[in-house]
């Protein structure tokens, strides 16, 4: 039972609060301020394609040469897994045809984290026998200790990643 509690606490420590990090691409989105207002775009085709890039420079060059224009960027650091639905939602919201994203490990730290451990009370049974005023007796006596909360240290590794998202829209001008 104690191991289940430790596993649950460690899981919470490693996953964190989803509300804070699920909005990374939305929270740090910046529209392209250098976009020519006269740029005409092809009709938006929802839903946007969300593509993971292993070479952002090469892939951005490809999309630019294919007639796409950067309409916005998002860049941030996080140590919690990013929500794929958030990326899709933000790309659709800004009417991007493609969200090209990447991530890079920036830092990794390991340590020990204190986790509460519930230690249930214990029962102890003693067998007794004796003689009182010439009368023999025999029996058992049960004692119980109270449950306690202890601390156990569990190993924890926290990885920090830099996430980058480039939002593209197809231009009519080639």
């Amino acid at each position: 039972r104690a191991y289940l509690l430790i596993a649950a606490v460690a899981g919470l420590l490693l996953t964190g609060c989803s509300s804070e990090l699920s909005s990374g691409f939305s929270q740090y989105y910046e529209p392209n301020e250098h976009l020519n207002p006269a740029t005409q775009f092809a009709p938006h085709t929802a839903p946007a394609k969300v593509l993971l890039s292993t070479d952002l420079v090469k892939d951005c060059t490809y999309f630019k040469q294919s007639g796409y224009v950067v309409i916005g960027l998002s860049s941030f650091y996080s140590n919690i897994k990013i929500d794929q639905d958030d990326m899709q939602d933000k790309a659709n919201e800004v009417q991007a045809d493609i969200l090209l994203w990447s991530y890079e490990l920036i830092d990794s730290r390991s340590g020990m984290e204190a986790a509460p451990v519930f230690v249930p009370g214990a029962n102890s049974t003693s067998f007794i026998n004796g003689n009182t005023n010439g009368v023999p007796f025999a029996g058992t006596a049960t004692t119980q200790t109270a449950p306690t909360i202890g601390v156990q240290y569990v190993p924890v590794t926290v990885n920090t990643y830099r996430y980058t998202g480039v939002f593209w829209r197809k231009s009519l001008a080639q």
Side-chain angles (χ1 to χ4, degrees), residues 12-24:
L12 288 173
L13 291 171
L14 292 173
T15 57
C17 300
S18 63
S19 63
E20 177 188 341
L21 290 165
S22 67
S23 64

Side-chain angles (χ1 to χ4, degrees), residues 32-105:
N32 183 355
E33 295 177 4
H34 304 288
L35 187 62
N36 183 344
T39 303
Q40 295 199 358
F41 294 106
H44 175 62
T45 56
K49 293 179 185 172
V50 177
L51 306 173
L52 175 62
S53 174
T54 56
D55 186 339
L56 203 55
V57 173
K58 179 179 134 194
D59 292 338
C60 285
T61 301
Y62 169 79
F63 283 110
K64 183 173 177 157
Q65 290 173 349
S66 298
Y68 287 86
V69 175
V70 174
I71 61 170
L73 298 168
S74 183
S75 182
F76 57 97
Y77 295 89
S78 175
N79 60 2
I80 296 178
K81 184 179 178 185
I82 300 303
D83 185 357
Q84 182 90 21
D85 290 339
D86 176 60
M87 289 187 263
Q88 184 73 59
D89 291 345
K90 187 61 182 180
N92 290 335
E93 177 188 324
V94 300
Q95 296 189 347
D97 294 319
I98 295 170
L99 167 54
L100 185 63
W101 71 284
S102 69
Y103 66 96
E104 176 185 4
L105 179 64

Side-chain angles (χ1 to χ4, degrees), residues 106-127:
I106 298 299
D107 187 38
S108 184
R109 294 178 188 235
S110 297
M112 301 298 281
E113 184 76 35
V117 178
F118 177 76
V119 180
N123 291 333
S124 175
T125 302
S126 301
F127 296 98

